[in-house]
């Protein structure tokens, strides 16, 4: 396919890169990438060996010596050029994201646009790595703080956003003076290679050293090399809660730093004072977009009892109109799940709901016909359930929307917060008191809380992340840049005496 050639994807691709070149040989273990659209093989990617991994780390350490001393605005200039290069390749990379991951083409393009947007944001940030000046209690002393890069930022990303989440980390970390080692998902290795090829064009054009933007490829073993490696002071990991707990334990054991973006079990409260049509459309996008495979997907719907039936009926109407099929086609709104395991997980979850006494109101079927042969297609499901059921408490990475009722706002907030995850949240209401209560300290306990906005579609200008077992990490906008740097407090004595703090007297003859 033409877009694969434009991105430098061939039959067998080297999966280890030190920035401008790929290293290793094809005569070793490989990962086969298959499209979830029809199950066909796209290409192979070599798996990083331990020897190659150490070569990447050593190259990154050498590059850091030069990159950290490059003025931050000049680092920002490199990121600006990466953004321009992404603009040139937006159509091709967006199509690859769709082809390898399965989200619809508009969402694939949107993911690349997120990369472009974060590049723009990071360019501005490169001139705003501010420290504070503080008054000293000692005469003729000046106190201030400044921020320095940490070193190598290890980035472990997931299949559902195979390129955007990497850029949230990498572009901010780069302007902060860090170098990067990225392990993308083994389910979408070609997206990682394509991004590396795009960045390499900028690195070569600017005659930059190897080792600033690095790539390793593989599964759990390669990720463990990174989390155990003391040469990587920061690990930013996106994935399941189970994975995140292992990463946190390992990195903390060596007193390293982590940014964790883990599971989401996101809910929307729908008030009796809501604009139901606005709510229904936001719910549908949040619940079925990316076939329910976003960390911010809407999974729980907490509806006031007075509007429960009208909203339920409207959602069924919308779901019936959703076109499911090949995500590369313009009229498709829901593409496939990533693989057969995802289908099995969805079917098991639906069976558990019914065993508990819940009802499948609509959908849930595995779809098989000539047009969908070989792919992993399902019909998004709407079900009734209780918030405290075990299956509702867990995050099933599939398009299942759990509906439950409430009587008053305190009950709704209690149900909303009654899960172990805390990523994204929303309330739909035209009652200002309800909206402000939801955003107050007694409201949503999530890292993201919205009023009359769905749970999906966060902008890069705000810090992205969640609380509780979502991990507590923050990426992207606001002051998330601080996570990639170390704070240093400085004191300068410009006088001729040596006074001590706290008025301590220590005279030496």
């Amino acid at each position: 396919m033409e877009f694969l050639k434009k991105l430098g994807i061939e039959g067998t691709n080297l999966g280890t890169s030190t920035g401008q070149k790929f290293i290793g040989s094809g005569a070793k273990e490989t990962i086969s990438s298959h499209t979830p659209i029809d199950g066909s093989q796209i290409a192979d990617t070599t798996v990083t060996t331990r020897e190659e991994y150490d070569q990447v780390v050593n190259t990154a350490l050498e590059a850091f010596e030069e990159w950290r001393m490059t003025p931050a605005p000049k680092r920002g200039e490199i990121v600006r050029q990466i953004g321009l290069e992404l603009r040139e390749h937006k159509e091709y990379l967006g199509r690859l994201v769709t082809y390898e991951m399965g989200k619809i083409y508009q969402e694939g393009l949107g993911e690349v646009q997120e990369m472009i947007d974060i590049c723009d944001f990071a360019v501005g940030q490169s001139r705003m790595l501010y420290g504070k000046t503080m008054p000293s209690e000692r005469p003729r002393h000046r106190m201030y703080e400044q921020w320095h890069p940490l070193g190598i930022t290890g980035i472990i990303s997931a299949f559902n956003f195979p390129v955007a989440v990497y850029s949230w980390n990498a572009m901010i970390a780069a302007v902060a003076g860090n170098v990067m080692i990225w392990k993308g998902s083994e389910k979408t290795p070609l997206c990682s290679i394509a991004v590396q090829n795009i960045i390499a064009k900028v690195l070569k054009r600017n005659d930059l050293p190897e080792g600033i933007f690095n790539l390793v490829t593989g599964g759990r073993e390669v990720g463990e090399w990174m989390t155990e490696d003391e040469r990587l002071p920061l690990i930013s990991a996106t994935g399941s809660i189970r994975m995140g707990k292992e990463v946190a334990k390992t990195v903390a054991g060596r007193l390293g730093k982590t940014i964790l973006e883990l599971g989401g079990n996101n809910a929307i409260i729908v008030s009796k004072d809501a604009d139901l049509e606005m709510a229904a459309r936001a719910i549908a996008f949040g619940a079925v977009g990316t076939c329910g495979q976003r960390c911010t997907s809407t999974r729980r719907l907490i509806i006031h009892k007075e509007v429960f039936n009208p909203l339920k009926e409207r959602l069924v109407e919308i779901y019936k109109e959703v076109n499911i099929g090949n995500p590369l086609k313009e009229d498709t709104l829901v593409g496939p799940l990533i693989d057969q395991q995802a289908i099995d997980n969805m079917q098991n979850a639906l069976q558990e709901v019914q065993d508990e006494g819940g009802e499948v109101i609509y959908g849930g079927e595995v779809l098989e016909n000539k047009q969908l042969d070989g792919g992993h297609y399902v019909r998004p499901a709407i079900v009734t359930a209780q918030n405290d059921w075990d299956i509702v408490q867990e995050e099933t990475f599939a398009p299942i929307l759990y509906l439950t009722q409430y009587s008053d706002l305190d009950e709704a907030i209690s149900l909303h917060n009654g899960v172990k995850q805390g990523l994204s949240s929303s309330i739909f209401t035209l009652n200002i008191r309800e909206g402000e209560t939801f955003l107050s300290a007694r409201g949503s306990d999530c890292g993201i809380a919205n009023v009359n906005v769905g749970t999906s579609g966060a902008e890069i200008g705000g810090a992205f992340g969640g609380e509780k077992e979502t991990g507590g990490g923050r990426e992207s906008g606001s002051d998330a840049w601080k996570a990639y740097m170390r704070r240093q407090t400085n004191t300068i004595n410009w006088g001729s005496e040596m006074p001590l703090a706290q008025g301590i007297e220590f005279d030496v003859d």
Side-chain angles (χ1 to χ4, degrees), residues 201-265:
K201 296 175 184 291
V202 175
L203 302 179
K204 291 177 182 178
R205 197 159 55 229
N206 288 273
D207 196 27
L208 290 169
E210 294 286 331
I212 299 173
F213 294 91
N214 304 275
L215 178 68
V216 293
T217 302
R220 179 171 180 171
E221 183 180 32
V222 179
E224 289 175 347
W225 295 341
M226 295 172 67
T227 58
E228 294 168 357
D229 196 336
E230 294 183 354
R231 297 171 293 181
L232 278 59
L234 172 65
I235 298 292
S236 178
T238 303
S240 68
I241 292 172
R242 178 197 58 77
M243 180 274 284
K245 288 181 176 180
E246 290 297 319
V247 170
K249 180 180 178 181
T250 301
V251 178
R254 58 178 177 84
L255 297 182
K257 300 176 184 292
T258 55
I259 300 172
L260 299 176
E261 299 290 356
L262 310 177
N265 196 352

Side-chain angles (χ1 to χ4, degrees), residues 129-404:
L129 302 174
Y130 297 139
K132 295 180 179 179
T133 298
M134 295 83 73
S136 173
E137 66 184 64
R138 291 168 283 184
R140 295 178 176 81
H141 281 60
R142 180 164 68 91
M143 287 181 62
Y144 67 96
E145 68 180 20
Q146 58 182 333
W147 296 81
H148 297 302
L150 287 169
I152 300 176
T153 296
I155 304 168
I156 301 173
S157 61
F159 77 87
N160 59 329
F161 280 86
V163 296
V165 172
Y166 165 68
S167 68
W168 293 357
N169 288 274
M171 300 310 148
I172 301 296
V175 299
N178 297 283
V179 296
M180 280 57 65
I181 297 179
W182 177 25
K183 190 194 89 67
S185 171
E186 62 270 31
K187 295 182 180 181
T188 53
L190 302 180
C191 287
S192 303
I193 291 171
V195 171
Q196 195 72 3
N197 285 336
I198 290 169
I199 292 175
K201 296 175 184 291
V202 175
L203 302 179
K204 291 177 182 178
R205 197 159 55 229
N206 288 273
D207 196 27
L208 290 169
E210 294 286 331
I212 299 173
F213 294 91
N214 304 275
L215 178 68
V216 293
T217 302
R220 179 171 180 171
E221 183 180 32
V222 179
E224 289 175 347
W225 295 341
M226 295 172 67
T227 58
E228 294 168 357
D229 196 336
E230 294 183 354
R231 297 171 293 181
L232 278 59
L234 172 65
I235 298 292
S236 178
T238 303
S240 68
I241 292 172
R242 178 197 58 77
M243 180 274 284
K245 288 181 176 180
E246 290 297 319
V247 170
K249 180 180 178 181
T250 301
V251 178
R254 58 178 177 84
L255 297 182
K257 300 176 184 292
T258 55
I259 300 172
L260 299 176
E261 299 290 356
L262 310 177
N265 196 352
N266 315 293
I268 293 178
I269 297 172
V270 182
S271 164
K272 63 182 176 61
D273 296 324
D275 180 329
L276 291 186
E277 185 61 24
M278 178 188 290
R281 292 183 176 276
I283 292 161
F285 173 72
V288 309
T290 322
C291 204
Q293 296 171 114
R294 298 192 196 107
C295 52
T296 56
S297 289
T298 305
R299 308 207 180 279
R300 297 177 296 131
L301 198 56
I302 303 165
I303 311 169
H304 192 278
K305 61 183 182 181
E306 291 185 17
V307 294
F308 183 86
N309 286 329
L311 181 57
K312 177 185 70 173
E313 292 167 5
R314 179 64 181 125
L315 286 172
V316 171
E317 290 176 358
I318 293 174
Y319 272 49
K320 287 180 178 178
E321 296 301 317
V322 169
N323 191 19
I324 305 166
N326 187 328
L328 288 169
K329 295 182 177 180
E330 290 187 5
D331 62 344
T332 298
L333 292 179
V334 177
L337 287 168
I338 187 66
D339 54 24
Q340 183 60 44
Q341 182 180 355
I343 288 181
D344 294 342
N345 290 341
M346 179 177 179
Q347 297 307 303
N348 291 337
L350 291 172
Q351 185 59 56
E352 188 168 338
V353 166
Q354 293 173 89
D355 291 344
E356 289 279 3
E359 177 189 0
V360 177
I361 299 169
Y362 180 81
E365 307 94 336
V366 178
L367 302 179
E368 297 177 357
N369 59 47
K370 291 183 179 179
Q371 291 182 326
L372 305 179
D373 278 351
H376 307 294
Y377 297 89
V378 295
R379 194 179 305 282
I382 302 173
V383 304
T384 58
Q386 297 299 315
N387 198 69
D388 59 355
W389 291 351
D390 288 345
I391 191 60
V392 179
Q393 291 285 310
E394 299 297 327
E395 178 189 41
T396 301
F397 232 48
I400 303 175
L401 182 62
Y402 301 111
L403 274 57
T404 191

Side-chain angles (χ1 to χ4, degrees), residues 169 236 258-261 422-423 446-448 463-467 470-477 479-481 483-484:
N169 288 274
S236 178
T258 55
I259 300 172
L260 299 176
E261 299 290 356
L423 181 52
C446 294
I448 300 169
F464 180 90
E467 299 302 318
T470 298
R474 293 297 186 274
E475 299 167 328
S476 188
D479 64 349
W481 61 271
Y484 305 93

Side-chain angles (χ1 to χ4, degrees), residues 412-455:
I413 291 174
S414 178
L415 290 168
H416 176 278
N417 294 346
V419 294
K420 60 189 176 183
Q421 308 89 348
L423 181 52
S424 188
S425 61
S426 177
I427 186 171
F428 274 80
T429 182
L430 299 179
N431 182 323
I432 190 171
R433 289 178 177 172
E434 288 187 329
E436 291 293 340
T437 299
F438 185 73
L439 300 180
S440 74
R442 62 178 283 250
S444 169
D445 62 0
C446 294
I448 300 169
N450 302 320
V451 176
N452 296 328
V453 177
T455 60

